[in-house]
Amino acid sequence: MLEELKKQVYEANMLLPKYGLVTFTWGNVSGIDREKELFVIKPSGIAYEDLKPEDMVVMSLDGKKIEGEYNPSSDTETHRILYQRFPNVGGIVHTHSAWATSWAQAGRGIPCYGTTHADYFYKEIPCVRNLDAKEIEEAYEKNTGVLIADEFEKKGRDYEACPATLCKNHGVFSWGKDAMEALHNAVVIEEVAKMAARTEMINPKVIEAPQVLQDKHYFRKHGANAYYGQTKKVEE
């Protein structure tokens, strides 16, 4: 079942350690088949070097395990809620990557200090609040997803224009049109988190990049009038 999607999700998971986004098993990637309303996710606690495509677990959007030898990632409920609430998302990544998680532990969003950030994320990458004791005890992973989706809705943030968030004292969630794009965004988050931290070290009084510059860089790559890249496939 969903063999191609399993392969893609497996390959995206294997790139997490390659890009230095995970230590041990501290991360996961999923991808969804919207037509079948099924998603594929990494199994819980299996070392990356031991993973195979067939180890990926197939889940339904109502939370049932459809196929797989192993238990799904402990973050499965967060992924499931985000797929339900963000209908244009095709892949999700969760990491505890060091620089971005440092911002999360500080309870701060990542400000847009330059064009690298603006190329991928419109305005600040937000940091959502802690869950309260009741939310944690009731359904921690599910309520993490609910909190992220509610905060984006409440603050009028476009989840496609800013395909990521930090969770206070926890880590990073990113998403995209598929698992590979979500992985790409996770890599960029770690880089902009590192650059933003260093920027504040060098100039503690720094302010965000001018909005006109942020807009120029974001919209030349995204939206109806984007012009970055090629209009036809480049021949190899």
Side-chain angles (χ1 to χ4, degrees), residues 9 13 54 60 80 103 129 147 162-163 198 216 221 224:
V9 170
N13 271 288
E54 56 266 31
S60 68
R80 184 177 73 85
W103 285 87
R129 65 171 174 83
L147 171 62
C162 184
R198 288 172 173 170
K216 180 63 178 179
K221 291 186 77 170

Side-chain angles (χ1 to χ4, degrees), residues 54-138:
E54 56 266 31
D55 295 332
M56 300 299 106
V57 183
V58 180
M59 301 292 298
S60 68
L61 277 179
D62 60 2
K64 295 184 177 68
K65 185 167 85 168
I66 304 301
E67 184 180 270
E69 177 182 355
Y70 299 110
N71 293 329
S73 165
S74 57
D75 297 299
T76 295
E77 278 294 282
T78 307
H79 289 241
R80 184 177 73 85
I81 296 299
L82 292 178
Y83 283 129
Q84 287 183 335
R85 297 284 297 275
F86 294 167
N88 293 333
V89 165
I92 296 169
V93 170
H94 173 52
T95 78
H96 293 203
S97 60
W99 285 94
T101 300
S102 296
W103 285 87
Q105 290 183 170
R108 290 186 59 191
I110 304 173
C112 182
Y113 288 135
T115 60
T116 309
H117 180 134
D119 280 339
Y120 289 89
F121 304 99
Y122 193 58
K123 301 185 177 180
E124 178 186 81
I125 299 170
C127 181
V128 301
R129 65 171 174 83
N130 279 321
L131 295 174
D132 62 31
K134 181 182 177 183
E135 290 168 324
I136 291 170
E137 292 166 5
E138 176 189 65

Side-chain angles (χ1 to χ4, degrees), residues 23-37:
T23 303
F24 301 123
T25 59
W26 306 349
N28 44 72
V29 183
S30 70
I32 190 169
D33 184 318
R34 287 287 180 182
E35 287 187 7
K36 293 183 172 64
E37 296 190 331

Side-chain angles (χ1 to χ4, degrees), residues 6 8 12 23 37 49 53 64 67 83 88 94 98 118 128 139 145 170 173 187 192-193 205 227-228:
K6 284 181 186 175
Q8 183 190 87
T23 303
E37 296 190 331
E49 59 269 25
K64 295 184 177 68
E67 184 180 270
Y83 283 129
N88 293 333
H94 173 52
V128 301
H170 184 183
F173 283 90
V187 174
V192 300
K205 296 181 180 179
Y227 61 87
Y228 176 88

Side-chain angles (χ1 to χ4, degrees), residues 175-201:
W175 47 84
K177 67 183 180 184
D178 55 29
M180 284 298 182
E181 185 174 271
L183 181 280
H184 189 92
N185 288 335
V187 174
V188 176
I189 291 165
E190 184 65 0
E191 289 302 308
V192 300
K194 186 188 305 180
M195 287 189 279
R198 288 172 173 170
T199 298
E200 293 192 358
M201 291 177 200

